[in-house]
Amino acid sequence: MAAEIVNPRSDSSTGHEGAEEPFDPAFALHRGGKMAVQATVPVRDKDDLSLAYTPGVAKVCTAIAEQPELVNDYTWKSNVVAVVTDGTAVLGLGDIGPEASLPVMEGKAILFKQFGGVDAVPIALATTDADEIVETVVRLAPSFGGVNLEDISAPRCFEIERKLQERLDIPVFHDDQHGTAVVTLAALRNAARLTGRTLGELRAVISGAGAAGVAIAKFLLEAGLGDVAVADRKGVVSRDRDDLTPVKRELAEITNKAGLSGSLESALAGADVFIGVSGGTVPEPAVASMAPNSFVFAMANPNPEVHPDIAHKYAAVVATGRSDYPNQINNVLAFPGIFAGALQVRASRITETMKIAAAEALAGVVGDELSADYVIPSPFDERVAPAVTAAVAAAARAEGVARR
């Protein structure tokens, strides 16, 4: 399958009778969709047809029926990912439904292709029931080498990913959780290196206890972070709260070694790292109360939780989710290479070790060019995907989840 930009039509019709739209480059680019299916073999004459389809195809089908693993060699399965959503947590738009999610899923698919060489198919499901989503994906799985869960709201996203990982023998990866966590860890490693510290010396505060916030907290602790507190709308997630969901109760057991309680702002006093994945605005006095040589990763889009101009007054390193500021924390730095590496070795799953390897490889791309405005490479740095792919493949082999 080719993921290619479709040339926009020159007329201004929206496709609805009597309706017109003003020229807008976003609408122009999206007209007709951003993807197309393209054959990888020619069908020029009857000989080509007899090989690509009947009767030649029957030989391949029979071989696969006898040796099911051959499906990876003689179909596209081993290099194609299902990008699955229910449309409940789309970018900053929230629950907009499956149809409205498709432009984002198409965008995700073309990023897989451009940055990782991996084909991807958008699948938007007309259900928000966790068990129905799981059953649907399980039934679709024979066609795919991996599953990328996308824009599914918390806490259902945790249950859906866990159940799919238990039932499938292909990689299942919720990018909103783990892609964000991998890129955050890579940037944090380099920020610590820049200021002469280790991860173990750092205390972080995360604003947001949704999919990204929970995953980042767990992943940073796995990678050796000293301590992290996570705050939701009601304040720091701590053991003494009686209003926590099961996911947050589990989080309270492994985070917040300092025993903090109260507001996000109070938790930031003396903190080394702020990580924002929630939106809203952090008051300047709270940022000013952080430790010397602090890091502010304000990743909400389009409005960071701390404006970079304010963050730079107090922080040694500032990162955002935006492309118009230095140090963009962008998932496209991670997921194409992670899946490419996993698919390359036909991994049965994506492990914590593979994700940490991806973060280390991503951080390593920066190398000696490290500076306060360059702790994470650009998505367009051609070294990124090969480095992440190779690291993930090697980690899969070392951990014993590779099948070739």
Side-chain angles (χ1 to χ4, degrees), residues 184-194 197 199 223-224 356 359-360 363:
T184 301
L185 174 59
L188 189 58
R189 280 192 180 280
N190 277 338
R193 180 163 68 94
L194 180 68
R197 289 177 285 178
L199 290 180
I356 288 175
E360 291 174 347

Side-chain angles (χ1 to χ4, degrees), residues 133-393:
I133 292 171
V134 170
E135 292 300 326
T136 301
V137 175
V138 168
R139 284 161 173 73
L140 290 170
S143 296
F144 299 99
V147 176
N148 184 92
L149 300 173
E150 190 74 22
D151 292 353
I152 298 173
S153 62
R156 295 174 310 114
C157 60
F158 305 115
E159 175 189 359
I160 291 166
E161 183 186 48
R162 176 179 54 79
K163 288 182 175 180
L164 286 173
Q165 288 173 339
E166 291 171 352
R167 294 183 60 179
L168 298 178
D169 65 348
I170 58 175
V172 177
F173 184 87
H174 184 208
D175 187 49
D176 300 316
Q177 293 183 60
H178 311 300
T180 308
V182 166
V183 183
T184 301
L185 174 59
L188 189 58
R189 280 192 180 280
N190 277 338
R193 180 163 68 94
L194 180 68
T195 56
R197 289 177 285 178
T198 65
L199 290 180
E201 298 175 75
L202 302 177
R203 178 173 73 84
V205 176
I206 298 175
S207 174
V214 170
I216 291 170
K218 291 181 177 180
F219 192 55
L220 293 183
L221 290 174
E222 180 78 17
L225 187 73
D227 192 15
V228 58
V230 182
D232 62 12
R233 291 183 179 87
K234 296 182 180 180
V236 174
V237 174
S238 58
R239 295 182 184 183
D240 59 358
R241 283 178 51 180
D242 59 6
D243 60 347
L244 299 179
T245 64
V247 169
K248 291 179 184 179
R249 280 200 299 271
E250 178 189 353
L251 191 65
E253 292 298 321
I254 61 172
T255 61
N256 194 17
K257 297 175 186 176
L260 303 175
S261 60
S263 67
L264 166 72
E265 291 80 6
S266 65
L268 280 174
D272 302 291
V273 187
F274 168 76
I275 297 171
V277 284
S278 66
T281 300
V282 177
E284 183 172 346
V287 181
S289 74
M290 294 177 68
N293 286 321
S294 61
F295 314 140
V296 171
F297 292 2
M299 299 188 287
N301 267 312
N303 299 312
E305 292 88 350
V306 182
H307 192 282
D309 290 346
I310 293 175
H312 278 296
K313 293 182 183 180
Y314 311 102
V317 176
V318 177
T320 72
R322 290 175 51 149
S323 60
D324 52 347
Y325 293 108
N327 297 326
Q328 184 189 18
I329 308 294
N330 190 328
N331 288 18
V332 77
L333 289 162
F335 70 82
I338 289 174
F339 268 100
L343 294 175
Q344 185 181 93
V345 298
R346 295 179 188 166
S348 58
R349 62 185 185 275
I350 294 171
T351 66
E352 293 300 300
T353 299
M354 292 161 70
K355 290 184 284 186
I356 288 175
E360 291 174 347
L362 183 54
V365 170
V366 170
D368 294 338
E369 302 170 71
L370 181 65
S371 71
D373 283 342
Y374 186 55
V375 298
I376 199 76
S378 162
F380 296 98
D381 188 323
E382 295 181 354
R383 300 171 295 173
V384 167
V388 173
T389 299
V392 169

